[in-house]
Amino acid sequence: FGDQDEPRAFVTYRNVETIEFALYSMSLADFMGYYGDDWRFREEYTPSPADLLREWTVKTDAPRNQSGSLSEPLVEGGGTLPPGLYFLTASTPETRRLYSQDQQRQVVIVAANNVTFKWAGEQGMAWVTDWDEGTPVPGVTVSFLDAAGRVTASGVSGSDGVVMGDLAAQEPWMTHSVV
């Protein structure tokens, strides 16, 4: 979501009476682990209770055996979230009785800018553009990270929004990231 957008959860449901939501802040280290090369981290990830921002329950209204949908704001009463990384869970009492993994889980990113990242070999390019207008954004500090989340290079976007940086030598299937 852009930092001027109202972030919402879009949910389709059937035969549940309530949906329980929880929104957490997410650290960069947890984000890197979640999308990194260790699938167990993602599978076993549980946000820290200290990172809980909001917890709420929504009553559903679809008749039995019919699908319903809802668009639920992540900010109480609507509004925006500050730029950052967030983790949203949704669960229901009905699914907790049936399944061991009772939550739907989603990483939510809120940003003022969009970054397009390309790499070839050990060279990376980040192009920073305005979220709403798509125009280049100069003066943004960009860090290039290896699969372990270590900074390998950083720079500031020029008038064309572009930053170039060296990347770590690593296996081609391993991730590179920019922040």
Side-chain angles (χ1 to χ4, degrees):
F1 293 96
D3 64 345
Q4 301 301 308
D5 298 331
E6 179 182 359
R8 303 179 79 78
F10 299 95
V11 179
T12 301
Y13 61 88
R14 180 182 284 221
N15 294 336
V16 297
E17 293 183 18
T18 60
I19 301 172
E20 299 163 351
F21 293 96
L23 181 66
Y24 300 84
S25 60
M26 186 179 211
S27 70
L28 179 59
D30 283 354
F31 177 81
M32 293 295 296
Y34 196 82
Y35 284 110
D37 299 316
D38 181 3
W39 63 270
R40 285 185 189 94
F41 185 95
R42 186 172 32 261
E43 182 88 6
E44 298 169 359
Y45 179 70
T46 301
S48 167
D51 293 331
L52 181 66
L53 300 173
R54 180 175 180 222
E55 202 169 26
W56 71 105
T57 301
V58 176
K59 185 161 178 42
T60 62
D61 59 5
R64 184 155 175 77
N65 296 326
Q66 293 185 20
S67 294
S69 62
L70 60 91
S71 170
E72 180 65 20
L74 302 187
V75 175
E76 188 171 3
T80 61
L81 283 170
L85 302 169
Y86 301 90
F87 192 77
L88 177 68
T89 63
S91 62
T92 69
E94 293 85 357
T95 56
R96 270 196 301 280
R97 286 192 297 266
L98 297 172
Y99 307 105
S100 60
Q101 171 60 311
D102 69 330
Q103 296 178 332
Q104 295 296 312
R105 303 146 49 95
Q106 181 67 50
V107 172
V108 177
I109 301 172
V110 178
N113 300 314
N114 183 54
V115 180
T116 301
F117 175 50
K118 297 185 177 227
W119 82 80
E122 295 177 17
Q123 183 69 39
M125 180 195 82
W127 181 38
V128 183
T129 57
D130 179 79
W131 183 271
D132 295 315
E133 303 296 323
T135 54
V137 180
V140 175
T141 300
V142 174
S143 295
F144 296 84
L145 305 150
D146 66 10
R150 294 181 295 253
V151 175
T152 60
S154 62
V156 177
S157 60
S159 61
D160 58 358
V162 173
V163 179
M164 304 291 285
D166 294 329
L167 302 176
Q170 58 189 26
E171 296 295 328
W173 53 268
M174 297 177 85
T175 58
H176 293 285
S177 303
V178 293
V179 293

